């Protein structure tokens, strides 16, 4: 893993993005076209990111995102590198404390304020040897979601200072 920042961020988006089918294990609450549904979706997204990096497993992130999302590509790239190199995180790299939709109703797009903590975690090789350690630090993101006929998708994730 080349980066010690657990969650890549980006501020660019595109309106010509394509989407994959949502995962079958997406919770019912996360499928709602509402602020509460957006909150549940974002919580599921970060659980999937943690799973992708601790198992590691590839392919969990792209169905939750616009194909144009550089943030999602960065998160998936970490999972791909971890799997390729036989590495994994020793525990969940990110703990989410609050997820607050910045709006209400049934909008076609919605920003969600996410606060939590990047945990101090080791990246381990196949023998359990530490190859990298991420430091513990606060995490604050704004996740921009877009609603499609079948549910929410992540468009961008921006780090907030």
């Amino acid at each position: 893993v080349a980066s010690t920042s657990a969650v890549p961020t980006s501020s660019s988006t595109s309106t010509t993005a394509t989407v994959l089918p949502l995962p079958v294990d997406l919770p019912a609450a996360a499928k709602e076209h509402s602020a509460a549904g957006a909150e549940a979706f974002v919580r599921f997204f970060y659980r999937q990111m943690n799973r992708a990096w601790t198992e590691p497993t590839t392919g969990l992130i792209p169905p939750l995102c616009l194909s144009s999302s550089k943030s999602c590509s960065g998160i998936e790239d970490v999972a791909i590198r971890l799997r390729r190199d036989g590495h994994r995180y020793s525990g969940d790299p990110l703990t989410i404390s609050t997820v607050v939709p910045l709006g209400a109703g049934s909008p076609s797009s919605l920003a969600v304020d996410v606060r939590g903590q990047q945990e101090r975690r080791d990246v381990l090789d196949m023998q359990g040897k530490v190859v990298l350690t991420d430091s513990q630090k606060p995490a604050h993101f704004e996740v921009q979601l877009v609603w499609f006929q079948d549910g929410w998708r992540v468009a961008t994730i921006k780090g907030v200072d």
Side-chain angles (χ1 to χ4, degrees):
V1 178
S3 172
T4 59
S5 177
V7 184
T9 60
S10 173
S11 61
S12 64
T13 185
S14 167
T15 55
T16 58
T18 58
V19 297
L20 298 169
L22 287 166
V24 295
D25 60 342
L26 184 68
K31 297 176 186 175
E32 294 176 16
H33 188 195
S34 65
E39 176 186 345
F41 179 85
V42 168
R43 287 186 182 279
F44 179 78
F45 175 85
Y46 282 109
R47 281 195 303 276
Q48 292 296 86
M49 186 202 82
N50 281 334
R51 185 176 153 210
W53 292 5
T54 56
E55 291 183 357
T57 301
T58 59
L60 296 175
I61 299 303
L64 302 173
C65 303
L66 299 182
S67 63
S68 60
S69 173
K70 291 180 178 155
S71 308
C72 291
S73 293
I75 291 169
E76 181 68 7
D77 287 348
V78 172
I80 289 167
R81 281 196 311 273
L82 288 166
R83 189 172 175 100
R84 179 195 66 212
D85 297 344
H87 296 166
R88 65 177 177 81
Y89 271 81
S90 60
D92 287 351
L94 188 66
T95 300
I96 300 300
S97 53
T98 63
V99 177
V100 180
L102 304 173
S106 300
S108 60
S109 67
L110 186 67
V112 180
D113 185 73
V114 179
R115 293 174 190 257
Q117 182 165 272
Q118 175 181 301
E119 301 296 347
R120 183 185 187 287
R121 293 285 188 244
D122 293 327
V123 176
L124 307 173
D125 67 12
M126 285 187 263
Q127 288 73 43
K129 180 177 161 238
V130 175
V131 295
L132 176 87
T133 300
D134 279 349
S135 59
Q136 186 179 56
K137 61 184 177 184
H140 186 192
F141 308 105
E142 182 180 295
V143 179
Q144 187 69 42
L145 300 178
V146 177
W147 178 260
F148 285 81
Q149 205 168 12
D150 64 340
W152 295 106
R153 299 299 193 297
V154 173
T156 62
I157 303 170
K158 292 188 274 189
V160 178
D161 293 328

